[in-house]
Amino acid sequence: MSASHLSDLIAIRLNRRTLLGSAGAAAALAIAPGKSEAATGVSFTEISHGVDETHHVAPGHDVQIVLRWGDPIVPGAPAFDPLHQTAAAQAMQFGYNNDFVGYVPLGKDRALLCVNHEYSIGHLMFPGIGVNDRGETRRDLMSADQCAIEQAACGASVVEIARHAGQWHVVQDGPRNRRITTSGTVFEVSGPARGSSRLATTADPAGEQIIGTFGNCAGGITPWGSYLSGEENIDEAFIGTLPAHHREARNHKMMGVPGNQYDWGRHDPRFDIGKEPHEPNRFGWVVEVDALDPSNPPKKRTALGRFKHEGAESVISQDGRLVVYMGDDERFQHLYRFVSRDRVDLHDRKANRDLLDHGTLSVARFDQGGVTWLPLIFGHGPLTPENGFESQADVLIEARHAARLLGATPMDRPEDVQPHPKNGRVYVILTNNNKRQADQVDAANPRAANTNGHIVELVAPHGDHGADHFTWDVLVLCGPPGSGSSWNPATSENGWLSCPDNAVIDPRGRLWISSDQGSKWAASGTADGLWALGTEGPDRARGRMFFRVPIGAEMAGPCFAPDGRTFFASVQHPASDGTRDYAPFGRFSTFDDPATRWPDFHPKLPPRPSLVAITRHDGKEIGI
Ligand code: FEO
Ligand code: CA
Ligand code: CA
């Protein structure tokens, strides 16, 4: 990284710290340039709810497909050939099901995009596989080679991009370009669980090095330009049966292991818990990848706990420490926060290399109007040998169990948790929970059978993200009118959304939300998309629909370039979810018979998860 690049990053963060130091929403409003409406609201012409075979964006904007599944991203990578795909080729190409997108600037109009590849879908990736009568991949037809391709398609990509004449291009020979995969990338175990006997396997008896990452859902970019990626649905990778009375029985059950979604374990024994009972403990962490310095090995940061990590968005606290907010995305799971022991050094990025190994992981308990952060520290309260914890490593490996014992509040699937960089607020995205019973509702999860989700706004006292107690409010209860939703009355018939998932704050401090309704999209009548969501004054809780994905896709990874003139996002799993409810198609979708061939619409190409860049025709900032 050149000095000028680092200074760019530092300038951004120092600006944020200065603003934070001046504290409060009033400060945030005061710094936003332009007219008062620009500080709180947005301006664009909404698109309509609906569903069809392609994407839609607000009038006056362009959508560029920047990266598609299979695009070459390193020198020598072969062109995408879906009928002759190999694991070696896939490991040099953009992976499948892109989710989180992070932007690490390399200077003006040049950046590294850090992109998660969450999971694979055999029946949409390979010809002749198809689905069973429940629409599930015919795993019994998958070959060992195809399982290896899947593992090479998952993980992450770091890709240099540059803008010329308003268009973004991949810099295929970018020196930092790389793929990170489930099968081929070695991670150092870092933090308190390094060397735990519960991480020991045949391949790694010391419990110090782990091959691969999986379930990479959302994430975050740290102030020093590294890339955090959350390992979420790691249970899906495992098959098999634990030996009787095994110590990991409780732990694996709480994590849903084995999830039996892939048959990798038939070809690769580490994914069979009967053969490698500790392998699941090596997944479910936040991983840190030094996007700017590929010589720095990627790490599994165990101090941040093990659960089904959605994302890991961070903010610098008033005293200079890093605060990372994290959701555990499963029904009745919890909201977490990590506060580093040491301060971030904005002048020497190497000084932050081990920052995420030391600090306090806490979990949230919501009361009427207040949030208390409960620390997960071995020996404190119930986190003792009597409850099966012998060390801090045990507390971290079984963070879910520790959180339950501490009395954390079971939430309606916490997905992205987005701190505002300037005003001390934090947006907790709760996607849904159809299992919550009437006698299980509470102030922060106020609806039984919550199929539409909601967004909670935390307020750190005086902008202090390291404080033990916050206040909170519901920003909006999502879903259509009449479903118990709480939209601003100014919200149009297209402005409401269901099942919020990811969030991003744009450079002007405004909140944008993406949705993931899964196979239940028909209940809302619209495909997933991106909405601007007001948070201030008369605009609060008013949604506006900006972008819509094609049939079967989910919207993920919303990310702004720092100048606000490009809005990146992931269109994940096109042609996948709920295609039987799409009347023009009306059946399960496969590689050979897909519901859409977005984005190429070429008869010989399958649908391809892709990363899009949205810009304005006039090149100005989005949403002003
Ligand atoms: Fe991978 Fe919780 O979404
Ligand atoms: Ca998600
Ligand atoms: Ca986010």
Side-chain angles (χ1 to χ4, degrees), residues 268-345:
D268 186 348
R270 74 186 178 117
F271 292 111
D272 181 338
I273 63 170
K275 294 172 179 159
E276 291 291 353
H278 289 163
E279 192 71 34
N281 289 347
R282 295 152 66 86
F283 294 84
W285 304 102
V286 168
V287 302
E288 183 178 16
V289 174
D290 193 340
L292 291 162
D293 181 2
S295 72
N296 183 13
K299 311 277 191 335
K300 299 225 176 185
R301 295 295 188 187
T302 64
L304 278 63
R306 176 175 170 269
F307 42 90
K308 292 188 179 178
H309 280 281
E310 174 76 19
E313 298 277 14
S314 61
V315 64
I316 297 176
S317 68
Q318 280 175 330
D319 62 4
R321 295 179 293 166
L322 193 74
V323 178
V324 186
Y325 290 96
M326 301 173 287
D328 180 354
D329 180 9
E330 193 151 13
R331 290 180 291 239
F332 301 110
Q333 289 301 329
H334 306 109
L335 168 67
Y336 294 82
R337 179 189 75 171
F338 174 83
V339 182
S340 67
R341 181 191 67 189
D342 302 323
R343 293 179 180 179
V344 178
D345 188 335

Side-chain angles (χ1 to χ4, degrees), residues 217 310 415 501:
C217 190
E310 174 76 19
E415 299 239 35
D501 186 340

Side-chain angles (χ1 to χ4, degrees), residues 99-119:
D99 197 304
F100 173 79
V101 180
Y103 184 103
V104 178
L106 295 175
K108 184 168 167 24
D109 291 338
R110 189 169 288 265
L112 295 175
L113 289 184
C114 304
V115 185
N116 283 353
H117 300 295
E118 187 177 16
Y119 67 104

Side-chain angles (χ1 to χ4, degrees), residues 61 67 81 100 122 155 166 250 295 303 307-309 365 372 409 596:
H61 297 77
L67 282 157
D81 182 352
F100 173 79
R250 175 186 74 189
S295 72
F307 42 90
K308 292 188 179 178
H309 280 281
R365 187 186 70 214
T372 303
T409 300
T596 176

Side-chain angles (χ1 to χ4, degrees), residues 96 183 277 298 300 329 355 427-428 502 509 537 542 571 580:
Y96 203 74
S183 48
K300 299 225 176 185
D329 180 9
L355 194 93
Y427 296 97
V428 182
N502 297 126
R542 177 177 173 184
V571 177
R580 280 202 303 183

Side-chain angles (χ1 to χ4, degrees), residues 469-520:
H469 303 279
F470 286 18
T471 56
W472 66 274
D473 201 355
V474 170
L475 173 59
V476 66
L477 302 174
C478 298
S483 66
S485 57
S486 63
W487 299 101
N488 185 314
T491 301
S492 80
E493 61 184 354
N494 302 302
W496 59 267
L497 67 107
S498 178
C499 303
D501 186 340
N502 297 126
V504 66
I505 309 283
D506 73 16
R508 289 178 179 252
R510 302 168 304 186
L511 180 65
W512 301 71
I513 301 291
S514 67
S515 69
D516 172 20
Q517 304 165 104
S519 58
K520 305 282 177 58

